[in-house]
Amino acid sequence: MAEEHVKVLVIGSGPAGYTAAIYASRAGLNPVLYTGGEPGGQLTTTNDVENYPGYPEGINGPQMMVDFQKQAERFGTDIRYGMITKVDFSGYPHKVWVDNGDEITADAVIISTGASAKYLGLPSEQAFANKGVSACAVCDGFFYKGTDVAVVGAGDTAAEEATYLANLCPKVYMIVRRDEMRASKIMQQRVMNTPNIEILWNTETDEVLGDDSGVTGVRVVNNQRGEKKELDIKGFFVAIGHKPNTDIFKGWLDMDETGYLKVKPGTSHTNVEGVFATGDAADKVYRQAVTAAGTGCMGALDAERFLVEKEFEATGEIA
Ligand code: NDP
């Protein structure tokens, strides 16, 4: 167990975290960045990113995150593979604990912990996690090549996952709980134009079915007529939205009822001095790579200004 003091600590390695690190490194703040459990964040579970400006032909998500990382490293960010498991923002400097037992104090903390996929909450879904149940078609779709699968959800993620899987699987069921989809018109059109996707409207998941080999099917129920039926599938993909990764900040930072961190409007300042919130952890509206990167930049600039003011308060001089 080591104890260490750092000037700027960045927690998280998605577009927000790496952008904060790039700006903080270039400002000479020697940031240390902890990647969290999913280095590169959510973009490592997507395929083509076509809406990030500067890539007219689109870019592969995991590759994009490797590039973000390289850019942060180029300016000297100290990148570490580990999770921050606990924080104490009661005093100053701020204190955090790493999963290997290390304790770190930091003058400024930039939170970029992102969000994680939600699950339906059925015990059978949990029982078959990684044995047929997945929240990432791009990560796991390949394992179900040539078999029938189902996707739950009706947002852009579900639509994207269904069309992705339709290239690998003979049949893709889309389980949609209402009589319309939330996904953007263009994504809906893509789904409708894919002949091997069958949309089950007004339908919910009753039970994920399986045996020792993993998932073998799913029982669904029509929520208008109450009819149940079983679909023979091997892969069950859950695409029903995300939850911000902010549990460790409960009790320290202001958050809304769903756990999104609150910031002072137009800034990345949280309610605790010297703690800044960026990316999807503080954004339930936009949740885009480019907006995450933008707020990551804000986090680094806000941290830099905060540290200059702190230095001035302490010494009467600007470093
Ligand atoms: P959303 O919150 O947009 O959609 C979640 C979907 O899951 C909704 O259709 C919702 O149904 C359904 N759902 C939620 N809970 C349940 C449940 N318990 N049972 C069944 N269905 C459920 O999440 P997404 O992850 O799809 O998208 C998040 C954001 O990211 C959006 O802003 C989206 O536009 C964006 N995005 C953009 C992409 C792109 O541009 N390429 C790709 C992926 C996402 P209901 O509609 O009935 O509430």
Side-chain angles (χ1 to χ4, degrees), residues 135-150:
C136 176
V138 177
C139 317
D140 301 329
F142 183 78
F143 301 120
Y144 305 99
K145 195 171 175 179
T147 70
D148 292 348
V149 297

Side-chain angles (χ1 to χ4, degrees), residues 217-237:
V218 60
R219 188 167 59 239
V220 293
V221 54
N222 182 296
N223 57 26
Q224 305 290 299
R225 300 190 298 269
E227 258 166 30
K228 291 188 180 181
K229 67 174 172 179
E230 289 184 9
L231 312 171
D232 290 335
I233 53 150
K234 292 268 189 276
F236 182 74
F237 292 87

Side-chain angles (χ1 to χ4, degrees), residues 244-255:
N245 301 320
T246 56
D247 286 351
I248 59 168
F249 308 113
K250 273 193 185 131
W252 299 111
L253 299 181
D254 289 346
M255 44 183 84

